[in-house]
Amino acid sequence: MTDPFDLHPQLSADCSVVDDLPLCRLLLMEDANYPWCILVPRRAGIREIHELAEADQAALLREVTRLSMAMQEAFAADKMNVAALGNVVPQLHVHVIARRVDDAAWPRPVWGAVPRRAYAGDEREAAIARLRRTLRSRGQST
Amino acid sequence: MTDPFDLHPQLSADCSVVDDLPLCRLLLMEDANYPWCILVPRRAGIREIHELAEADQAALLREVTRLSMAMQEAFAADKMNVAALGNVVPQLHVHVIARRVDDAAWPRPVWGAVPRRAYAGDEREAAIARLRRTLRSRGQST
């Protein structure tokens, strides 16, 4: 028996679920300063990329690169930021963030740079719809 | 003709060269606060992981996971941080940082958290030697 996968409560509290990709749950961070997604492999008890089985590592890479390309297109990003930190939330999760040279924190990394900004009105749903549409048009099942 | 690979001058200025792995130049950042390595794929004109050819993406993943395991062992890390940001230095480079719960910035990400600390005496050479030894003992050619 392997333990079931449960999304860490902090990630549940901070994010909206966009979809399940083949390996990862795809989340949107509740911070309207930047299009900021998080990929969480649906595997229990994993803290580091290198703790994943090799096939899962390859799947994670595929999902990171596909998401990164889709976000760059969907949000006209100048640079993508990809990071697995996990110093606060130990469950393995990979940040994929669309950065623009005119965003609130540029060129600093986003963590702790400026206060979070809540999505207003239909901004969140619009961002999710745009992301889903772009993933779909690029052949990523969503 | 493809352009030759040249290490970005900022990376040259900030880091020591540890070795060339099959794809990447392996660097040690000049910041004694943390064992902080950087992997730079020896490919010209690449800014994003998803711009690499698929075989190079797979090689990068292999080198990231092997380095991450070796650093975790060599430096008794509590958590590995892996990140491709590149907002300041556009040449694709991946940070692999060994974090400890008692390090200067924990649990914050390292960028901009505390002033850099120069290596003193033979600290730098000792860190490089320890890293090379661990990579070698794990079967990573160095």
Side-chain angles (χ1 to χ4, degrees), chain A residues 47-50 57 61 65 68-69 72 78-87 99 106-109 111, chain B residues 47-50 57 61 65 68-69 72 78-87 99 106-109 111:
Chain A
R47 295 182 66 212
E48 304 281 359
I49 295 170
H50 65 245
Q57 291 178 19
L61 174 64
T65 55
S68 180
M69 286 189 284
Q72 190 168 46
D78 297 305
K79 185 72 190 73
M80 296 305 302
N81 288 177
V82 176
L85 305 178
N87 304 339
R99 304 298 308 274
W106 184 267
R108 289 168 294 164
W111 301 275
Chain B
R47 295 182 66 212
E48 304 280 359
I49 295 169
H50 65 244
Q57 290 179 18
L61 174 64
T65 55
S68 181
M69 287 189 283
Q72 190 168 46
D78 296 305
K79 185 73 190 73
M80 297 304 303
N81 288 176
V82 176
L85 304 177
N87 304 339
R99 303 298 306 273
W106 184 267
R108 290 168 293 164
W111 302 276

Side-chain angles (χ1 to χ4, degrees), chain A residues 18-115:
Chain A
V18 176
D19 223 321
D20 271 357
L21 304 183
L23 175 66
C24 295
R25 186 148 300 164
L26 170 57
L27 308 174
L28 181 74
M29 173 71 100
E30 183 62 26
D31 185 346
N33 284 310
Y34 340 82
W36 179 343
C37 287
I38 296 181
L39 287 169
V40 188
R42 294 191 303 282
R43 298 286 184 263
I46 301 285
R47 295 182 66 212
E48 304 281 359
I49 295 170
H50 65 245
E51 292 171 4
L52 289 170
E54 264 191 48
D56 284 348
Q57 291 178 19
L60 177 61
L61 174 64
R62 269 197 306 277
E63 294 178 15
V64 164
T65 55
R66 286 177 185 166
L67 174 62
S68 180
M69 286 189 284
M71 291 179 71
Q72 190 168 46
E73 177 185 325
F75 304 111
D78 297 305
K79 185 72 190 73
M80 296 305 302
N81 288 177
V82 176
L85 305 178
N87 304 339
V88 177
V89 172
Q91 181 174 61
L92 177 61
H93 59 287
V94 181
H95 303 269
V96 183
I97 309 157
R99 304 298 308 274
R100 295 176 58 123
V101 298
D102 60 357
D103 74 32
W106 184 267
R108 289 168 294 164
V110 300
W111 301 275
V114 297

Side-chain angles (χ1 to χ4, degrees), chain A residues 115-141:
Chain A
R116 282 198 202 163
R117 186 164 73 77
Y119 279 104
D122 63 355
E123 281 182 335
R124 184 191 308 98
E125 287 315 307
I128 290 175
R130 175 181 291 268
L131 177 58
R132 283 190 176 133
R133 204 162 50 236
T134 312
L135 282 168
R136 206 178 306 122
S137 75
R138 302 183 63 93
Q140 170 68 48
S141 71

Side-chain angles (χ1 to χ4, degrees), chain B residues 79-133:
Chain B
K79 185 73 190 73
M80 297 304 303
N81 288 176
V82 176
L85 304 177
N87 304 339
V88 177
V89 172
Q91 181 173 61
L92 177 61
H93 59 287
V94 181
H95 303 269
V96 182
I97 309 157
R99 303 298 306 273
R100 295 176 58 123
V101 297
D102 60 358
D103 74 31
W106 184 267
R108 290 168 293 164
V110 300
W111 302 276
V114 298
R116 281 198 203 161
R117 185 165 73 77
Y119 279 103
D122 62 357
E123 280 182 334
R124 183 191 308 99
E125 287 315 308
I128 290 175
R130 176 181 291 268
L131 177 58
R132 283 189 176 135
R133 203 162 49 234

